[in-house]
Amino acid sequence: MKKAFKIFVTLIAMLAIPALAGLGILALWNGIVTAVCGFATITFYQAVGLFLLGQLLSSGFIIALFFGFGSLHAIIRHRGDWHDHWHKMSNEERREFIQRRREMFSFRNRPGN
């Protein structure tokens, strides 16, 4: 239940943040840029598109928040489970784990191993 609630809140935030930013861009563009520079007015969807374009071009915090470092990725991938599991292992269990991974991915035959 807790995981489903977190996913729901994250998805709502993924929709709400661009929508709110789009409203802000819409108001600022239509209120200032059209009067000062004489550009045409824009619609809500164009404002959201400008926000997302700006995020993509500048490696923005919104996209990084949700996809790179974000809560949706953490919820789906269970961030913290491996961290806790690793720290509860003994040194011998860690060595066995690393050895199994090396065998699985054929790292044992590389120079230096």
Side-chain angles (χ1 to χ4, degrees):
M1 183 66 177
K2 184 178 177 182
K3 183 178 176 181
F5 179 72
K6 284 184 179 180
I7 291 173
F8 177 74
V9 169
T10 302
L11 291 174
I12 293 298
M14 287 178 67
L15 295 174
I17 291 172
L20 291 173
L23 288 173
I25 292 169
L26 177 70
L28 291 171
W29 183 280
N30 290 339
I32 297 171
V33 176
T34 56
V36 174
C37 300
F39 292 151
T41 60
I42 60 173
T43 65
F44 171 74
Y45 296 108
Q46 290 171 328
V48 171
L50 280 174
F51 172 72
L52 294 175
L53 178 64
Q55 292 295 307
L56 285 172
L57 293 177
S58 66
S59 299
F61 68 94
I62 298 298
I63 293 171
L65 176 70
F66 288 114
F67 297 109
F69 310 106
S71 56
L72 185 62
H73 177 73
I75 293 167
I76 292 172
R77 300 292 178 215
H78 309 287
R79 183 183 296 169
D81 290 350
W82 278 103
H83 185 266
D84 293 339
H85 180 68
W86 181 261
H87 286 286
K88 290 177 183 175
M89 285 180 167
S90 67
N91 286 335
E92 183 60 34
E93 289 173 329
R94 289 179 190 165
R95 282 190 208 104
E96 290 175 12
F97 177 80
I98 291 169
Q99 186 61 33
R100 284 194 312 264
R101 292 295 178 208
R102 284 183 176 166
E103 290 172 2
M104 183 186 307
F105 294 108
S106 299
F107 290 139
R108 64 182 179 275
N109 295 326
R110 290 189 178 184
N113 288 338

